[in-house]
Amino acid sequence: MPEPAAAPPTPPIPLAALLADRELGLRRLAGPPAADGAVVHMVHTSEMADPYPYLLGGELLLSAGVLLTDADRYVSRVVEAGAVALGFGVAPVHDTVPADLVDACERHGLALLEVPPETPFTAVARTVWRLMAEARHLELRRVTRAQQGLAAAAARPDPVPAVLHQLAVRLEGWAVLLGPDGTRLYAAGREPAADVVTGVARLARVVGPGTSPRPAPASATDRVADRHLAAYVLGGSQGLVLGLATPAREPGDHTVAGVAVVLLSLLTAPHQDTDAAGRSAALVRLLLGAAPGETAPLLGPGPWTVVHARGDRSPFAAAALGAALGSALVDADADGTVRILLPAGREATTQPGWTLGVSAPAGPDELPAADAQAARAVRHAVATRKDLVHHRTADPLSLDAARLRLAPLADSPALVETLRTWLSLHGSWDRTAAAMAVHRNTVRQRIGRCAALLDADLDDVDVRMELWFALRHG
């Protein structure tokens, strides 16, 4: 089965959005008007005579022209590096944007923005990051709604066509389920032109089972005219392929398609009707304390990971979370806690709108203990406002191991003594400050430094216990 899709990446922002920001006061002096539709992936400031080695592509490059001597060569190198636009700061080096720079940008088709004296480069960068954060928030909301819609469709009496229809609606395109021989089984959305349909079929053959000894890829993409094409092989479904043709490719579209692939894989797998229901029931019985011998034959040897989740309590939200994590073994409690059992090879990842606690891998006979681990982990995640917390096993330390654990603090007796006192006083800032005759902010700074040097989460009770042992016996 394909790996569950991760959260969508941060979307780039259109250059036009920066030009429209009146507080920045940017003005386009050169480059084709179509460049305003280009998107900015990052901001980079450089006063190098040749910034090419330091550019990755997609940047808005900011410069005051400190070392600008050959405008044509400079612009050609910036374009070669793939930068989207050049923002030129007026003052303190130049009173106006040099005319030869304007001409060079016009010749090479690079958007040139004038940055007025009252606008510092940091203000431009801050605006870019703010717009990206807003775009990512909107994209995450869109993806979350799509996940919920797909999960609701999977719960309908005829789930496969319903999921395809929901996918086509969410991606505003065409979705088709193809058999191993390319036969169309189901389709949803407005059917595109014949060359697009042919392109999807071609991609399906790329990911489908073939005669080549090399394994086929799990997915493939292409583009025909203004349509983005994609094909995904479904796991455990004997060669079924999901094909998509969409008008655009937003950052979250791959995530939405990944959720649909997981759902369709579960819905079309040969064992779905009886075995999946049996495994789900086994999970519930196990977590309620049934004997492992009754459930091990249904669950298999493992190792398995228990996930506790808190968050969205709307209908089908638990099913959508299970689909995103790649498991159909989902159980929702009346108190809003969702339990999910992940098989070997599946790893819990952060999910929008959810707080997750994850157990250590366990066999069927250890799952009740793993359930308790996940419960403690999710409580810790809620208390510390973290999206995901893994259970951490604290093994007893030997004397040598204790010394090694504290080695990063060896050169700072003040840090060691502050950590010892703070732990002995159960993490109280005020009592530690009084005991050491220092200000409480000094305690906070020292403990923060300890956490950084030890690379440890000092909010974790197991970590505190381990460090206390090391301090006592090291």
Side-chain angles (χ1 to χ4, degrees):
M1 185 182 299
E3 292 293 328
T10 300
I13 62 167
L15 190 60
L18 290 175
L19 290 169
D21 191 309
R22 294 185 177 180
E23 292 186 5
L24 294 180
L26 304 181
R27 188 164 61 99
R28 184 168 63 82
L29 301 182
D36 293 356
V39 293
V40 175
H41 291 264
M42 64 193 84
V43 178
H44 180 70
T45 301
S46 174
E47 296 301 339
M48 303 293 293
D50 180 11
Y52 177 92
Y54 307 96
L55 300 178
L56 299 175
E59 296 95 348
L60 166 60
L61 176 63
L62 300 175
S63 174
V66 174
L67 298 179
L68 180 65
T69 56
D70 186 342
D72 191 77
R73 183 179 185 279
Y74 181 86
V75 172
S76 67
R77 292 288 282 171
V78 170
V79 171
E80 185 180 353
V84 171
L86 172 63
F88 195 87
V90 177
V93 181
H94 297 270
D95 295 332
T96 60
V97 179
D100 57 346
L101 182 63
V102 177
D103 294 339
C105 288
E106 197 68 49
R107 283 195 304 274
H108 291 280
L110 177 67
L112 175 62
L113 312 183
E114 179 188 68
V115 183
E118 63 273 13
T119 301
F121 285 173
T122 52
V124 178
R126 185 172 61 242
T127 300
V128 170
W129 306 139
R130 175 180 59 79
L131 292 174
M132 284 184 171
E134 292 173 356
R136 177 169 172 78
H137 177 68
L138 292 174
E139 189 69 357
L140 287 174
R141 288 184 59 186
R142 182 180 75 90
V143 170
T144 300
R145 288 194 294 267
Q147 289 175 335
Q148 294 172 347
L150 289 168
R156 293 174 183 169
D158 199 2
V160 173
V163 169
L164 285 174
H165 173 73
Q166 186 67 211
L167 182 61
V169 170
R170 295 294 176 176
L171 299 185
E172 300 180 356
W174 183 62
V176 60
L177 185 63
L178 303 173
D181 58 353
T183 304
R184 184 185 302 187
L185 303 178
Y186 301 99
R190 183 175 180 180
E191 184 164 333
D195 56 344
V196 175
V197 174
T198 301
V200 171
R202 183 175 62 253
L203 285 182
R205 291 193 293 272
V206 171
V207 301
T211 57
S212 172
R214 298 176 62 181
S219 64
T221 61
D222 197 1
R223 192 171 187 86
V224 174
D226 62 343
R227 299 280 116 171
H228 180 90
L229 313 184
Y232 304 85
V233 65
L234 302 189
S237 57
Q238 300 177 338
L240 297 184
V241 174
L242 170 66
L244 294 173
T246 56
R249 191 62 168 175
E250 298 297 331
D253 287 353
H254 179 68
T255 304
V256 174
V259 173
V261 169
V262 172
L263 284 171
L264 291 171
S265 297
L266 295 171
L267 292 169
T268 58
H271 58 251
Q272 175 63 26
D273 291 340
T274 303
D275 292 349
R279 284 198 301 275
S280 296
L283 168 63
V284 175
R285 291 197 302 271
L286 236 170
L287 296 180
L288 292 178
E294 299 176 10
T295 53
L298 290 170
L299 290 171
W304 298 83
T305 303
V306 180
V307 178
H308 278 219
R310 296 183 184 176
D312 192 347
R313 300 184 66 170
S314 61
F316 311 113
L321 178 62
L325 294 178
S327 177
L329 303 179
V330 180
D331 177 52
D333 279 355
D335 67 354
T337 298
V338 176
R339 291 178 171 88
I340 300 173
L341 193 59
L342 300 183
R346 293 289 180 189
E347 182 178 352
T349 56
T350 56
Q351 300 295 321
W354 291 96
T355 300
L356 306 181
V358 185
S359 76
D365 57 336
E366 301 169 321
L367 281 176
D371 180 47
Q373 293 173 0
R376 288 195 298 271
V378 78
R379 287 197 297 270
H380 180 65
V382 170
T384 57
R385 298 183 179 181
K386 295 182 178 178
D387 295 330
L388 185 148
V389 168
H390 287 272
H391 170 75
R392 186 177 181 276
T393 302
D395 296 325
L397 292 175
S398 66
L399 184 58
D400 289 340
R403 290 170 178 164
L404 183 63
R405 185 73 176 91
L406 294 173
L409 306 182
D411 295 333
S412 181
L415 290 183
V416 173
E417 188 57 32
T418 303
L419 180 61
R420 187 196 310 275
T421 306
W422 184 73
L423 289 173
S424 71
L425 295 175
H426 308 291
S428 171
W429 307 109
D430 292 328
R431 292 170 61 194
T432 303
M436 299 191 69
V438 298
H439 195 277
R440 69 193 307 271
N441 287 344
T442 302
V443 176
R444 286 184 177 275
Q445 291 169 358
R446 290 179 181 178
I447 294 302
R449 182 63 177 158
C450 289
L453 289 173
L454 297 172
D455 190 23
D457 179 6
L458 297 184
D459 291 327
D460 190 322
V461 67
D462 290 331
V463 173
R464 292 192 186 190
M465 180 180 66
E466 178 186 306
L467 290 174
W468 178 248
F469 180 92
L471 288 164
R472 290 288 301 274
H473 300 282

